[in-house]
Amino acid sequence: MQNDSGPLVLAFSGGLDTSYCAAKLAADGWTVHTVWVDTGGASDPDRARIRAQALAVGAVHHHAVDGRAPVFDRFVRFLIQGNVLRGEVYPLSVAAERTQQAISLVAVAREVGAAAVAHGSTGAGNDQVRFDVALRVLAPELRILTPIRDATLTRPQAIAWLEARGLPVPPQAGAYSVNAGLWGTTWGGGWTHDPWTGPPAELLDPPSDAPAPAEIVIAWELGLPTTLDGAPLAGPALVERLGALTQRYGIGRHTHTGETALGIKGRIGFEAGAALVLIHAHREIEKLVLTRWQTFWKDQLGRFYGDRLHEGQYFDPALRDIEALIASSQQRVTGETRVRLAPGRFQVTGVRSPFSMMDPAVATYGEEPRLWTGDEARAFARVAAIPSLLAARAAAR
């Protein structure tokens, strides 16, 4: 029989599920170390609240890890360069964070000599797969404990368990779960379980005090954003500053319904203005500098890449191969995009690059060819019709 004692590290968010896990594991005899990974979207008061909650529910030590740069460098860069939107709308706000949280969890586990790791995932969501796969790949020698999943505990039951022991229940624990990070904020539970139910007010209308419409300029080098309105910024800082701006406009609020890692349908609400602006702006500059078939294959592989990351399979070597192709395709994705922000919406209004393939010396679309004659164009169109002509004749026979 395995001994439930000794050091254990718990992936901790400060929410209801992980608060229950910390308290339950401590009650079972474990020396609980909570690990909170800052993946963006947190303020100093948030950090203080999370630390206080961890210690109040039984942690002997709380570890705060800054994961914003690793999340950007390891994941977000390829989500931008690959134009990854699941279901054509959702920018995978959570998947990258969970894998980085698991990586950081293992690092702390080894620092403290832990015998086990734990997370607060339920048995019905994607996060359990993301955590379990990463933990088994990175630290197969460690036990994985999942108190919520093992007990099939509901949110009301977790609240009642904490209250019965006089332990603090996080604010809004009974409503729905909110995950804020560098690449966006997601809402799960409650209204998301009924696909006919509309989202709450904070996901519907733009703020009543939204600023007047304005344009911003994003500079790009090798397919990554480097400056915002002329101010050089590292990746995470640029995303955070753009996210704060889009939030003021209420940009990037949507719902997404799609496949989960378990094969069932799931639905979330999300606000990811920075992610959507950057992906759409990046796609527009790519259209200017990449060939047709570069774009075609990037789109196919980017979609596959996003699907595997979403389902917790980041460590599949195929993803390293796809990252290599994506990085190769970005050698000329350099220039600027101009984006107009308005309450509730945005539009890419201009793009330029020293590697632009839109060359007026060759032709002006719809008006004047300079590299070929009218007779050559007529011959090209005649030859281009051959496959369809042959198919039509075969069908007529």
Side-chain angles (χ1 to χ4, degrees):
M1 182 175 179
Q2 291 177 309
N3 182 31
D4 288 352
S5 64
L8 171 146
V9 295
L10 165 68
F12 191 78
S13 68
L16 173 63
D17 290 340
T18 57
S19 292
Y20 169 84
C21 288
K24 182 66 168 65
L25 292 165
D28 289 344
W30 291 100
T31 302
V32 178
H33 292 250
T34 50
V35 180
W36 175 70
V37 183
D38 183 356
T39 55
S43 64
D44 287 339
D46 291 332
R47 297 180 181 93
R49 176 186 56 79
I50 292 168
R51 179 181 183 82
Q53 180 71 10
L55 298 176
V57 293
V60 298
H61 191 80
H62 179 69
H63 305 257
V65 180
D66 190 345
R68 289 171 292 183
V71 164
F72 185 90
D73 295 338
R74 183 177 277 126
F75 305 101
V76 168
R77 63 178 298 138
F78 294 111
L79 297 179
I80 295 173
Q81 292 176 330
N83 304 316
V84 176
L85 291 173
R86 189 168 175 86
E88 312 306 322
V89 296
Y90 174 53
L92 298 189
S93 300
V94 176
E97 296 176 18
R98 293 294 181 262
T99 303
Q100 182 57 48
Q101 286 163 349
I103 293 170
S104 298
L105 191 70
V106 169
V108 174
R110 294 202 166 121
E111 287 176 11
V112 304
V117 290
H119 58 85
S121 303
T122 70
N126 291 322
D127 283 346
Q128 60 176 329
V129 178
R130 294 164 182 157
F131 273 117
D132 280 12
V133 170
L135 295 173
R136 290 184 185 281
V137 170
L138 297 173
E141 75 280 5
L142 297 179
R143 289 178 62 185
I144 302 174
L145 303 182
T146 55
I148 297 289
R149 179 170 65 185
D150 295 345
T152 60
L153 208 66
T154 65
R155 296 179 71 81
Q157 288 172 330
I159 292 172
W161 192 93
L162 290 171
E163 289 178 338
R165 288 156 181 81
L167 297 173
V169 176
Q172 298 182 330
Y176 41 80
S177 61
V178 179
N179 184 89
L182 181 70
W183 207 226
T185 298
T186 60
W187 283 259
W191 62 272
T192 66
H193 292 158
D194 179 359
W196 185 247
T197 299
E202 63 257 42
L203 282 177
L204 284 173
D205 301 320
S208 58
D209 59 348
E215 286 194 334
I216 61 171
V217 175
I218 303 168
W220 301 83
E221 292 182 14
L222 302 178
L224 292 175
T226 56
T227 76
L228 181 60
D229 280 339
L233 294 166
L238 189 148
V239 173
E240 288 181 336
R241 184 175 297 185
L242 180 58
L245 183 58
T246 57
Q247 187 176 42
R248 293 177 60 201
Y249 282 97
I251 290 172
R253 299 172 173 181
H254 295 278
T255 61
H256 165 63
T257 303
E259 307 295 331
T260 70
L262 300 175
I264 62 174
K265 296 287 186 180
R267 183 182 185 225
I268 59 168
F270 67 91
E271 180 174 2
L276 293 179
V277 167
L278 288 172
I279 287 173
H280 284 278
H282 175 265
R283 183 181 289 278
E284 287 304 309
I285 196 170
E286 275 196 334
K287 291 176 183 179
L288 194 65
V289 302
L290 296 189
T291 68
R292 170 188 179 185
W293 295 114
Q294 281 180 299
T295 300
F296 175 86
W297 286 112
K298 264 193 74 266
D299 284 348
Q300 314 310 309
L301 293 174
R303 181 175 289 108
F304 176 84
Y305 185 93
D307 288 347
R308 299 307 287 158
L309 179 62
H310 180 76
E311 295 171 7
Q313 297 296 335
Y314 170 75
F315 297 97
D316 187 329
L319 269 62
R320 307 293 82 73
D321 299 331
I322 294 172
E323 288 168 354
L325 181 141
I326 289 175
S328 174
S329 73
Q330 301 299 292
Q331 297 306 302
R332 295 181 179 177
V333 185
T334 293
E336 292 180 313
T337 49
R338 194 173 65 247
V339 183
R340 185 176 189 269
L341 307 180
R345 59 191 176 88
F346 70 92
Q347 182 179 4
V348 182
T349 56
V351 59
R352 62 185 177 186
S353 169
F355 302 108
S356 172
M357 295 176 66
M358 192 169 178
D359 188 352
V362 172
T364 304
Y365 176 68
E367 295 185 9
E368 182 184 3
R370 294 185 177 87
L371 201 60
W372 60 86
T373 67
D375 287 340
E376 289 169 332
R378 183 180 296 107
F380 174 85
R382 182 180 180 86
V383 172
I386 289 175
S388 296
L389 175 64
L390 294 177
R393 288 182 175 179
R397 291 198 299 272

